[in-house]
Structure formats: structure tokens, C-alpha cells
Amino acid sequence: MAHDAVQHDYHLVNPSPWPLVSSIAVMVMFVGAVMWMKGLFGMPEGTQWLFFAGLAGVLYSMVGWWGDVIKESRGGDHTPVVQLGLRYGMILFIASEIMFFVAFFWMFFEMALWNEHRTLSSIEEVRQAWSTWPPQGVETLNPWHLPFLNTVILLLSGTTVTWAHHAIQVGNRKEAKYGLFLTIALGVLFTAIQAYEYQHIIGHHLFFNEEAASSGLYGSIFFMATGFHGFHVLIGTLFLIVCLLRLLAGQFTPQKHFGFEAAAWYWHFVDVVWLFLFAFVYVAFGGTGGA
């Protein structure tokens, strides 16, 4: 019947269980996290099973929900208007992630520039306050060792993901595979080096020791900012692994590959954030960096 034909370019999704399932799984996971850390509902502290049950539900929802999106795309439901909406959505998502890091940087700069002084009125007073940062007792990392190596690794990964993107655009699937594989390998290497760096900091008590007992927020901000970035690298690596699997399955074409394009955007965002972390947290406001 003519009046039943679709008269617009938008895709109205079919009824889906994933929003409800995801919400329940996230709630279970966070309640489980509280139970793990503090104990809850008569369960003692250290009870982990509820957290991992919720995490399994979240992962299951992710696979099912995003799998449906891929099926919709391959079924022809992603019209040019829908694709534009997906691009806007990814841009807004990255913008929201940027604001997370703005908050972390804001706090770090606040502590580094003013420290415990809140009535500074001249550049000289700011300089003197800055000279007491990092707080006494904190042994900072040498930014030109592991942090610089990780900077080179991420910058190199930005070139390889761009290589893969260009190869997909021109239909060269062989080079796209090479570029994606190298990007994933570099992401895994970055994560391994950062884990080793954390082990070094914790094992040698660089930020948390008796001399640094009054170090304030330095260690907390350092681990929050770099750790949150490391989490983004992990998520980005998984994102690229999924893209590699889809590429091997022949699901990307020069005309239609937004799934990979979104992953590339996300990876470049991760690269840029790390440049700010390296420049300010490790170098400019990181102290002498003797460790």
C-alpha cells in the first residue's frame, strides 16, 4: 500500500531490550562495586561476585546493542541523514570526554600554580608558590624516560591509524589491515608501559610515603588523569580490534566505513589528550623528575 511506504530518510529502530538490560547491568555493577569496597546488604567487604556479574551484563549488552547497529547499517537503514546524525553524535561524545579532562587539568593547574596560597597578587608570588610544587617528599618521574617513550608510541600510532583510514578510503584492504594491526600493537605497548610505570611508582613509594604525607592532591590527580587516559587507550584499542575484525570480514568499503572513522577520531582524541598530559603533568608541572 502506497501510504505504508517510508516517506522520510530517518531510521526508526525496532523495539529493543538493550536500553533496559544495559541500565539494569550498570546498576548491578555499581552496587557490586560498593559491596566490593565497603560491604552491603549483609555482604562483607571484598565480595566481588555481584560486580563481575554486572560487568558481564554490561559487556553482553554492548555486544548485542552495537551488533544490532551494525546489522541495521548492513541492512541499508543508515541513510545519508542517519550517517550525519551518527557523526554529530560521535563529535558530541568526544566533546563530553574532553570536558572530563578539562576538570582534571583544572584541578592540577589549580594546585600547581597556587598550591596552598589563595591570596596571590603578583607574578613573583605565583612563582614562589609554584616553586613548592610538587609538594615536599614527592619523587616525580623523569619525563624523558618512559613518559617520552609513550609519547612517541602514541604519536606513531596516530600515523598508522591515519594510514589505515586512507587505505580504506582508496579500497586498499591489505594496507588497511597492516595499519590497523600496527595501531593496535602500539596501543597494547602503551598500556603495558604505563602499567610498568604505575608499578614503579607504587613499588618505590614515590608519591605516597612518610615524607610526602602532606602531599595533598598530587598523587590522586596524577593517577586520576593518567589512569583515566589509560582507560581511554584501552577502550580505543578494543574499538580498533573490533574494526579489524570487521575489516577482515569485508564489512568496510571506501563508501561506507563510519565505524572505523569513529574509531580513528577517538584515537586521535586520545593522542591529543596525552600530549597535554605529557607537556603539563610530566614536564611543565612535574618537578625535576629524578626517578
Side-chain angles (χ1 to χ4, degrees):
M1 297 176 65
H3 65 274
D4 290 333
V6 175
Q7 301 295 325
H8 55 78
D9 293 327
Y10 298 93
H11 171 54
L12 303 180
V13 298
N14 296 322
S16 171
W18 302 122
L20 178 60
V21 173
S22 298
S23 300
I24 294 174
V26 169
M27 182 184 69
V28 170
M29 183 176 70
F30 280 103
V31 170
V34 174
M35 183 182 295
W36 186 355
M37 293 182 285
K38 294 293 185 179
L40 195 66
F41 303 134
M43 295 291 184
E45 177 183 335
T47 303
Q48 304 176 11
W49 64 266
L50 188 63
F51 171 81
F52 286 106
L55 177 61
V58 170
L59 295 175
Y60 176 75
S61 300
M62 290 166 59
V63 172
W65 199 340
W66 294 342
D68 284 351
V69 174
I70 293 173
K71 292 176 184 177
E72 292 166 1
S73 173
R74 294 180 59 77
D77 293 324
H78 288 184
T79 64
V81 172
V82 173
Q83 292 181 46
L84 182 62
L86 291 172
R87 283 173 166 78
Y88 285 157
M90 191 65 193
I91 291 171
L92 291 174
F93 169 70
I94 291 176
S96 71
E97 293 292 283
I98 290 173
M99 296 313 296
F100 270 113
F101 286 100
V102 167
F104 299 145
F105 280 117
W106 189 299
M107 180 56 68
F108 193 85
F109 293 162
E110 164 78 5
M111 294 301 297
L113 290 173
W114 284 274
N115 207 350
E116 298 180 357
H117 305 274
R118 291 293 179 268
T119 59
L120 303 180
S121 58
S122 68
I123 294 178
E124 178 60 24
E125 289 179 338
V126 173
R127 187 193 66 78
Q128 291 178 0
W130 190 359
S131 67
T132 63
W133 184 263
Q136 184 178 3
V138 172
E139 298 181 57
T140 58
L141 297 167
N142 189 327
W144 305 109
H145 287 173
L146 293 180
F148 179 71
L149 176 59
N150 261 350
T151 302
V152 173
I153 288 172
L154 271 191
L155 289 177
L156 182 58
S157 73
T159 64
T160 55
V161 77
T162 301
W163 172 31
H165 189 190
H166 176 73
I168 290 176
Q169 289 177 319
V170 299
N172 190 335
R173 296 180 68 251
K174 183 178 180 181
E175 290 194 7
K177 294 174 188 176
Y178 291 156
L180 253 179
F181 179 80
L182 286 174
T183 305
I184 292 168
L186 290 168
V188 171
L189 180 59
F190 176 94
T191 302
I193 291 175
Q194 188 169 46
Y196 175 79
E197 178 184 280
Y198 278 15
Q199 185 276 330
H200 175 73
I201 294 171
I202 296 171
H204 291 79
H205 306 285
L206 300 186
F207 297 166
F208 306 101
N209 54 59
E210 293 183 1
E211 293 182 0
S214 60
S215 62
L217 295 174
Y218 183 86
S220 299
I221 298 174
F222 177 90
F223 281 115
M224 177 60 75
T226 60
F228 197 61
H229 174 269
F231 175 73
H232 280 71
V233 172
L234 178 61
I235 295 299
T237 303
L238 295 174
F239 200 169
L240 292 172
I241 289 173
V242 172
C243 288
L244 178 59
L245 295 175
R246 293 189 62 194
L247 179 64
L248 294 174
Q251 296 184 6
F252 290 142
T253 66
Q255 296 76 28
K256 200 169 186 180
H257 55 269
F258 176 68
F260 174 76
E261 193 173 353
W265 290 357
Y266 188 85
W267 197 255
H268 289 309
F269 151 71
V270 168
D271 287 355
V272 172
V273 170
W274 176 258
L275 290 179
F276 276 89
L277 283 171
F278 177 72
F280 295 106
V281 174
Y282 284 98
V283 180
F285 297 90
T288 58

